[in-house]
Amino acid sequence: YHELQVDLISDGAEGASLDWLEIEVHEPIATRARVEITPTTATAGQATEFRLLLLPAGLRRTGFDQIEVEGSTEMTFLSVRAGESEIDVEETMLDRGFRLDFPAALTAEELVELRLRTAVFIDATQFDLFIADSSEPGARQRVDAGEADADVDSQTNVVRLPVDTSILDLLRLSSAVITPNGDGHNDELRLEFDLRNAIAARATTVTVFDLSGRAVWENTWDLAAGTHAFEWPATGRSGREVPPGLYVLRVLFGGDAGDRSLTQTVAVAY
């Protein structure tokens, strides 16, 4: 059966209406396909290698020649193996992941192992896998999570993070001292930090204070979970270079449970 939800929003006085709805049905590529991921836990913000294991049980005679992987993280494809053979595939980057085009259709009901690397920043991040036949453009089949390999204790396509209430983590500076003298070395400060479990983008403000507590530079961005990097060119609000001395950097994130911040010092010398 099909269960559909249609939300109609009107910005006029006449109201919204649905004129027609078309559903295109395709023959399942594999009636009992299952996928699972391993490992199922990761350290937040740390690049980790994962294996997606696909068992295309109930595969139709013509098989499939495409695999798509989608998730909320930026992924790097490493390799894919079908049975005992590693396969050279064509990779295409997509908005939420990547697609693999195989040189020939996979028609055997054997384990397919896909390796990728990514950093997870949100608890319960899900990696969705789809199989498709390039001769049927626009039609793809989502593979349900379940046991694909009896030797792997997973049966899920969700990666969990350890219980941790921290949002901001690991403020990293390119150098403890910057020398903005135009010689091309440490002329500006690069700061990098991690945001965890921030599903929606929120205002994140980076402020530079002098030792009197006066804000000499500030900028605000709307940021969601991930690793973020910015540069401070050792200038004040006016755009002029700041005097030499010690400065305090603060990263402030506005979350539902209150503001979170990280601070660190940097020296400016000429």
Side-chain angles (χ1 to χ4, degrees):
Y1 68 92
H2 297 295
E3 181 177 338
L4 304 176
Q5 176 178 321
V6 180
D7 296 321
L8 302 179
I9 301 175
S10 173
D11 56 2
E14 296 181 358
S17 63
L18 179 64
D19 293 330
W20 57 274
L21 178 67
E22 179 179 336
I23 298 176
E24 187 174 348
V25 180
H26 294 260
E27 174 192 358
I29 296 174
T31 57
R32 301 186 307 278
R34 293 292 181 267
V35 66
E36 57 186 333
I37 195 168
T38 184
T40 57
T41 60
T43 300
Q46 180 175 305
T48 305
E49 182 176 315
F50 294 95
R51 292 190 299 147
L52 275 171
L53 304 170
L54 163 67
L55 183 63
L59 188 64
R60 69 186 186 186
R61 181 180 57 83
T62 54
F64 61 96
D65 60 359
Q66 292 179 330
I67 290 179
E68 293 185 14
V69 178
E70 292 185 356
S72 60
T73 67
E74 185 175 337
M75 294 174 275
T76 300
F77 166 69
L78 300 177
S79 66
V80 64
R81 175 184 299 271
E84 299 299 323
S85 303
E86 188 165 317
I87 302 176
D88 291 328
V89 294
E90 180 181 341
E91 178 190 4
T92 302
M93 298 305 298
L94 306 175
D95 289 341
R96 288 176 43 83
F98 57 86
R99 183 183 71 239
L100 304 179
D101 287 271
F102 290 79
L106 302 181
T107 57
E109 295 186 6
E110 58 185 1
L111 187 68
V112 178
E113 177 185 299
L114 189 154
R115 294 171 52 246
L116 61 90
R117 181 181 295 112
T118 188
V120 176
F121 291 90
I122 299 176
D123 184 36
T125 292
Q126 181 169 311
F127 295 87
D128 292 315
L129 186 143
F130 304 82
I131 54 178
D133 184 342
S134 60
S135 67
E136 300 178 24
R140 63 177 188 171
Q141 177 181 333
R142 181 195 297 269
V143 179
D144 293 333
E147 183 178 288
D149 186 344
D151 295 329
V152 173
D153 184 18
S154 168
Q155 300 186 33
T156 183
N157 60 346
V158 171
V159 174
R160 305 301 304 263
L161 299 180
V163 176
D164 190 346
T165 58
S166 64
I167 298 292
L168 277 170
D169 191 31
L170 298 176
L171 176 57
R172 301 174 291 276
L173 305 183
S174 58
S175 176
V177 180
I178 57 174
T179 55
N181 53 20
D183 64 356
H185 298 285
N186 288 335
D187 284 335
E188 61 183 17
L189 178 72
R190 177 181 172 86
L191 57 148
E192 186 176 281
F193 55 89
D194 297 333
L195 274 177
R196 301 176 178 175
N197 292 318
I199 299 175
R202 296 294 180 87
T204 305
T205 302
V206 177
T207 309
V208 180
F209 300 91
D210 61 19
L211 292 186
S212 70
R214 181 175 62 94
V216 300
W217 183 89
E218 185 173 273
N219 213 336
T220 300
W221 300 268
D222 288 332
L223 303 178
T227 296
H228 304 281
F230 304 96
E231 287 78 34
W232 176 50
T235 58
R237 295 180 185 272
S238 65
R240 297 178 179 177
E241 293 179 344
V242 298
L246 198 62
Y247 293 84
V248 178
L249 291 94
R250 184 187 69 186
V251 179
L252 181 67
F253 176 83
D256 291 333
D259 293 343
R260 308 294 176 87
S261 65
L262 292 174
T263 59
Q264 201 159 326
T265 57
V266 62
V268 176
Y270 295 97

